[in-house]
Amino acid sequence: MVVAANKADLFGPRWDEALGRAAEISENVGVPTVPVETLTGRGVEELFEALGPVLEAQWWGRVEQIGPALRRSASRSAAGRDEIELYLSSDSAVLFGAAAAMMSPEIRALRQGEPPDPRTADDAGTCSRWWGELVDESEQAPQQRVSLIRRGYVRRWAQLGGDRSAPAVTDG
């Protein structure tokens, strides 16, 4: 959430007064507050900068709902069920869901020390194991999201040429 303190010119004749009042509001309500003067456009760029992370979180939250919505649709109707299930089991759907899970606020907080994005099968295996250890070590880790992220890394491992005869990771 972001508060837009419109008509910031009413806080006082100087912009630093508007910034000070916005800081007070932010402290009181617990969310970023941006002073804005819509007639002059002052503060609008800062408002859009503050809205960026909020809108991104909203977007990824909606993306995360696509898989469950498709599963519900497939369970209610035989028409298209096979196509929906085929898509949901595809690399694209798993990787898309994993990306959405990674962007959730509770997962973002757990990502310190995460290995870099994989460029090789070994890198992807390392990422999958890292997420597995995170689940083992953390009572707070949101199990379903972490599981989806691990599945995404297993898919990347396979795409990058992981040896399926001696799997370093499992897609489970």
Side-chain angles (χ1 to χ4, degrees):
M1 185 182 310
V2 174
V3 172
N6 196 16
K7 298 190 178 191
D9 54 317
L10 298 178
F11 293 140
R14 296 188 332 262
W15 188 247
D16 63 335
E17 292 172 302
L19 292 171
R21 183 66 182 123
E24 290 174 21
I25 294 169
S26 182
E27 189 173 311
N28 287 333
V29 298
V31 297
T33 302
V34 180
V36 177
E37 292 178 1
T38 52
L39 290 177
T40 64
R42 192 166 193 184
V44 172
E45 187 173 324
E46 291 83 358
L47 176 61
F48 283 118
E49 284 179 28
L51 282 172
V54 173
L55 295 173
E56 183 180 17
Q58 290 287 322
W59 161 256
W60 285 111
R62 288 180 178 254
V63 166
E64 203 171 23
Q65 296 171 11
I66 292 171
L70 286 172
R71 282 183 197 82
R72 285 190 302 275
S73 178
S75 71
R76 287 191 299 250
S77 171
R81 179 177 299 147
D82 291 343
E83 287 297 318
I84 291 171
E85 289 176 357
L86 183 64
Y87 169 72
L88 289 173
S89 66
S90 73
D91 287 351
S92 295
V94 171
L95 293 171
F96 197 48
M102 285 187 128
M103 298 309 292
S104 70
E106 60 192 356
I107 293 293
R108 281 185 179 195
L110 298 172
R111 293 181 67 182
Q112 290 86 16
E114 174 188 22
D117 285 337
R119 295 181 183 266
T120 67
D122 287 342
D123 293 347
T126 298
C127 291
S128 178
R129 285 187 295 280
W130 186 88
W131 282 97
E133 290 168 7
L134 179 71
V135 171
D136 294 342
E137 294 173 4
S138 174
E139 294 287 324
Q140 299 172 334
Q143 302 291 332
Q144 192 170 15
R145 284 186 171 129
V146 171
S147 176
L148 184 54
I149 292 166
R150 287 191 72 206
R151 283 186 67 208
Y153 281 120
V154 171
R155 296 295 178 99
R156 285 295 295 145
W157 172 80
Q159 288 177 339
L160 292 167
D163 181 4
R164 292 180 185 258
S165 65
V169 292
T170 59
D171 187 359

